[in-house]
Every structure is written in structure tokens, then in C-alpha cells.
Amino acid sequence: MAKRLQARRLDGIDHNPWVEFIRQASDDDAVNLGQGFPDFPPPAFAVEAFQHAVSGDFMLNQYTKAFGYPPLTKVLASFFGKLLGQELEPLKNVLVTVGAYGALFTAFQALVDEGDEVIIIEPFFDCYEPMTLMAGGRPVFVSLKPTPTQDGELDSCTNWQLDPTELASKFTSRTKALVLNTPSNPLGKVFSRAELELVASLCQQHDVVCISDEVYQWLVYDGYQHISIASLPGMWDRTLTIGSAGKAFSATGWKVGWVLGPDSLMQHLRTVHQNSVFHCPTQAQAAVAWSFEREQLHFGQPSSYFVQFLQATQRSRDHMIRSLQSVGLRPIVPQGSYFVITDISDFKSKMPDLPGAVDEPYDRRFIKWMSKNKGLVAIPVSIFYSEPHRRLFDHYIRFCFVKDESTLQAMDEKLQKWRDELRP
Ligand SMILES: Cc1ncc(COP(=O)(O)O)c(C=O)c1O
């Protein structure tokens, strides 16, 4: 065809780094600690719920309500209503989406207009930028700034802070939304009450919507606490809270997510949803509904999946941190999420000339080198930064530790070989 094919909204967003790094894992037959998914089964009750959804009531093979399978919207409303301190109406305050990805896309399409500015905190889950651009918006970035630690001291993501003056300077009359992600990907930062209060007061002062991505809310370690910004005074009316059943029940392939918010915002998301996907697979929604009903009965008790999963995941996190340190990688302890980022600046100074294109950030070259030579795949952290800031943050890589014991052992074997090579 002679006509220009792709819509202009796709300009500049057609390259997706994930495709390259996922392929790398299979090409090099390496241990894949890159992409964020568990390589172990979901809890038995969730698997049984899905089996029941497939083999039970035949009507679950058919369409359901556009904005969510009614038992799911009902249980989400009661479960999260308690956590947010709000009386939630299933039909007005809950929308079930195709994963949290779908929730984010629907939110951006519904609220961001041509020329609107969207504040994004770096490092950020990488789809926030293209989703802003596709909606015609302009991303405005503000970086979390790391404070250097003393030599030998274990670094922590609590040392990465927002500069309040810089954050305030990003708000203009054109700012429509701010995207918050707590616990965050890739850093694993859990925003404190004081940090959330700062964001909340700026959003209120400048009449800005907060899109709060809380998919990792059940994975908060070391006694830190997850706080939903929607629960702070004055924030419910301007916040969309996004969650994921994939992350909650270790079933990322189910692609069931949700948005919670005030009807004044949700009505616009419903317009996008009913004119795009219309609704998500009924059986997956039924399985998630039953899983939440089960979890609601056990919530906060030792028998709760969220409690047990958190304990197991914290052990995996600690295992990975110890292992990475043993070869001179410098992990930055996460407070939450699936991920630990690791400082590779020592490698950058010792072997600065790794193969790769001249303009390729160091962390990307390091990942390729590590995959080929050490048999481990991770993700370069520079892909979680805007173009102008990538060079400043090209000495970190991200590992996913929500992996089976056998995968962590396979990692240990690769690291053992790496250690042997390091011995004089
Ligand atoms: C911060 C964050 N938000 C949203 C998502 C997407 O979640 P889902 O798999 O439910 O679409 C992910 C997935 O990795 C994520 O890390």
C-alpha cells in the first residue's frame, strides 16, 4: 500500500524492549530472572476455582455484564471497601479489566486529552509513557534520587527519595494526572505515609487525578505497610486504584485486573471499556471471584494466601540478595514487589567496553554479556527511564525473585561458577 499505514499515535512507541530480552532468555538457555511472573503454580484453591468455572455452570461460557461478572464486582467492592474505608458500589465504583494493563490503558484513554500533562515518577513501569503518548498526552518525568551508601553497607530502596521542590515544580495548569506505583516496579519502593501526603496535597492543590497502580500491594516486606493513596483525606474523589488478580494469586496469564474509584471518574472508564474490549473472559472472572471469597474468609490469618505468599516471597528475596552479593553485585533491598535492582557500577568501571552498539546503554550490554557468559537473564533498569535520563541510570539491572526453589537453585549454580572464576 502506498498510503501511510500506521496511525500517528504509534510514532516513537513501536519498539518494545521486552520482546528482545524475553527472546534472549530462550536463545542463551539461561536462567530467566527477567520477566515478572511466578514459575510455580497458583494456590490450589485458585486452580480448583478455575477448573470449576470451566466444568461447572455452562453459562460461564457466555457473555457476562460489561463492567464485570457480578459476583466479582461484589466481592471486590466489599474486600477493598474495607481497606479503603469507603462504601463501594459494585456497579459504580468497580470496573473489571483485562489485567492491570487493561486498567491502565482504559484510565489513560478515558482521562488524558491532547496536550494534557501526566507526571510519571522514575524509574517507572515502562507502559506508562507509551500509554500517555497514545492518549495524546505529554509525559513529565520526575526521578527518585538515590542517596549513596557507605562502602560495604547494604543499600536499600528507602534511600531513593522524591525531592519535594522538584516534584512541586512539575505541576502546571496543564497537569491532568500523576501516576503513582506503590510498591513500585522496578525499584520495590513502598511510599511512606509522608511521601503519599506530599503527592496527595499537590494533586489537590493543582486539581490533578492520581492513577495509583497497586498491583504488588500484598508483597510488602520487613513490616513496612502498604497505604492506598485513595484512603488519605480528600483523595478518594480524585484517585483510581488499580489491582491485578495475576499478581494477587500468582496467575499472571489469567489477565484479570480492576480499577476502583469514584463514579465521577469511573463513568468515563466505562465508556472506553464498553467501546473496546466490552468485557473480560467470564470464567477467569468467576475463578478470581471465588478466590477472593476464599481469601476474604482467611484474610490476615496464617491460613491466608496473601500472608503465606508474602512469607515465602520474602525468603526468596533474602535468598537472592545473599546470592547476588557473593559475586560482587550490589543489590538494593526492595521493601515490596517481585523485584530487586542491583548496582553494577563496579563492573562498569572494571569492564567498560562490553560489546554492543556505541549508543547502547551499559546495562543493556551487561545483560547480554551476563546472559551469554554467566547464564543469567535480568532486565536493564534504563528501560524504566525516559530517554534523557537513561544514561544517568544505566548501571542497574533488575532481577525477579518470585521464582520456584528449583529456579533459585539453578541461579545459585550459575553464581557458584561465576564465583569460581573470580577466585585468583
Ligand atoms: C507495576 C505494574 N503494573 C501493572 C502490571 C500489569 O499487570 P497485569 O499482568 O495484571 O496486566 C505489571 C506487570 O508486570 C506491573 O509490574
Side-chain angles (χ1 to χ4, degrees):
M1 279 181 74
K3 278 187 183 143
R4 176 192 159 99
L5 287 180
Q6 89 272 25
R8 276 178 218 292
R9 75 181 75 89
L10 303 190
D11 287 353
I13 61 163
D14 45 357
H15 177 73
N16 185 319
W18 292 99
V19 179
E20 183 186 341
F21 288 100
I22 291 164
R23 195 183 48 227
Q24 180 107 38
S26 48
D27 285 357
D28 292 340
D29 191 27
V31 181
N32 186 1
L33 303 166
Q35 220 185 344
F37 63 90
D39 62 352
F40 47 81
F45 67 82
V47 174
E48 280 159 24
F50 213 135
Q51 282 163 346
H52 186 59
V54 174
S55 60
D57 181 2
F58 69 87
M59 284 307 288
L60 292 177
N61 290 294
Q62 305 306 331
Y63 293 132
T64 182
K65 294 275 187 302
F67 308 128
Y69 174 60
L72 179 56
T73 50
K74 188 169 166 229
V75 71
L76 290 173
S78 80
F79 197 97
F80 286 96
K82 287 190 199 87
L83 297 179
L84 295 173
Q86 289 288 334
E87 192 73 32
L88 300 190
E89 278 191 51
L91 290 176
K92 290 192 168 161
N93 305 124
V94 182
L95 174 67
V96 178
T97 54
V98 182
Y101 243 106
L104 288 160
F105 187 75
T106 310
F108 281 101
Q109 288 296 314
L111 302 180
V112 177
D113 233 331
E114 206 63 39
D116 282 348
E117 294 178 359
V118 176
I119 298 177
I120 298 176
I121 301 169
E122 296 179 304
F124 59 91
F125 180 48
D126 55 300
C127 72
Y128 303 154
E129 183 179 13
M131 285 191 188
T132 303
L133 293 170
M134 269 191 282
R138 192 172 86 80
V140 173
F141 299 99
V142 56
S143 303
L144 287 158
K145 304 277 182 316
T147 319
T149 45
Q150 304 291 328
D151 264 357
E153 197 186 318
L154 189 57
D155 205 349
S156 159
C157 68
T158 51
N159 296 330
W160 293 55
Q161 299 281 345
L162 279 172
D163 174 345
T165 316
E166 191 189 354
L167 177 63
S169 75
K170 302 290 173 179
F171 284 78
T172 72
S173 57
R174 287 183 303 278
T175 309
K176 183 68 178 285
L178 175 143
V179 189
L180 179 76
N181 176 210
T182 182
S184 75
N185 174 7
L187 186 58
K189 180 178 172 73
V190 174
F191 283 76
S192 67
R193 185 173 292 278
E195 289 169 320
L196 294 175
E197 281 169 355
L198 170 70
V199 171
S201 80
L202 287 166
C203 286
Q204 290 177 34
Q205 208 178 309
H206 296 272
D207 197 22
V208 164
V209 172
C210 181
I211 300 176
S212 188
D213 178 345
E214 305 185 10
V215 298
Y216 299 109
Q217 76 175 95
W218 311 113
L219 293 177
V220 175
Y221 313 114
D222 304 326
Y224 286 104
Q225 207 203 341
H226 170 75
I227 301 169
S228 290
I229 195 163
S231 69
L232 298 191
M235 284 308 284
W236 167 253
D237 286 339
R238 57 177 69 252
T239 303
L240 293 172
T241 305
I242 290 175
S244 163
K247 305 293 182 186
F249 296 112
S250 304
T252 56
W254 293 9
K255 291 303 283 184
V256 175
W258 56 85
V259 191
L260 311 170
D263 192 40
S264 55
L265 296 177
M266 296 297 284
Q267 59 174 315
H268 306 300
L269 276 73
R270 290 196 292 268
T271 305
V272 174
H273 187 81
Q274 73 197 3
N275 291 302
S276 51
V277 295
F278 196 69
H279 83 64
C280 311
T282 312
Q283 291 163 336
Q285 293 194 60
V288 174
W290 290 325
S291 301
F292 261 111
E293 283 162 12
R294 189 265 179 200
E295 190 54 31
Q296 199 161 32
L297 295 175
H298 296 258
F299 192 60
Q301 297 167 39
S303 54
S304 147
Y305 179 66
F306 295 161
V307 170
Q308 291 172 356
F309 183 44
L310 169 65
Q311 288 164 350
T313 307
Q314 179 156 329
R315 282 195 295 276
S316 302
R317 177 199 69 159
D318 295 344
H319 177 153
M320 185 175 267
I321 287 172
R322 279 193 305 274
S323 300
L324 295 176
Q325 279 181 303
S326 69
V327 290
L329 290 161
R330 287 198 278 128
I332 293 155
V333 179
Q335 297 164 285
S337 87
Y338 277 19
F339 310 108
V340 56
I341 74 165
T342 296
D343 188 335
I344 51 166
S345 36
D346 294 349
F347 292 86
K348 196 175 173 189
S349 32
K350 276 188 227 140
M351 37 183 216
D353 301 319
L354 291 179
V358 198
D359 59 346
E360 194 174 16
Y362 184 79
D363 55 351
R364 294 174 80 117
R365 288 184 277 143
F366 185 86
I367 296 283
K368 288 180 196 159
W369 169 84
M370 187 172 75
S371 174
K372 280 214 160 43
N373 297 282
K374 308 295 175 193
L376 293 172
V377 170
I379 298 290
V381 168
S382 60
I383 70 168
F384 301 100
Y385 279 89
S386 59
E387 179 64 35
H389 297 159
R390 257 173 221 160
R391 286 272 164 198
L392 301 174
F393 293 92
D394 71 346
H395 54 286
Y396 297 98
I397 58 174
R398 188 198 80 174
F399 290 89
C400 174
F401 49 80
V402 182
K403 297 293 174 196
D404 189 64
E405 194 50 41
S406 61
T407 310
L408 296 178
Q409 267 167 22
M411 168 192 78
D412 281 342
E413 281 159 27
K414 301 282 186 192
L415 289 169
Q416 183 57 49
K417 274 201 205 132
W418 191 341
R419 267 195 301 276
D420 293 346
E421 287 160 19
L422 286 173
R423 284 207 184 98

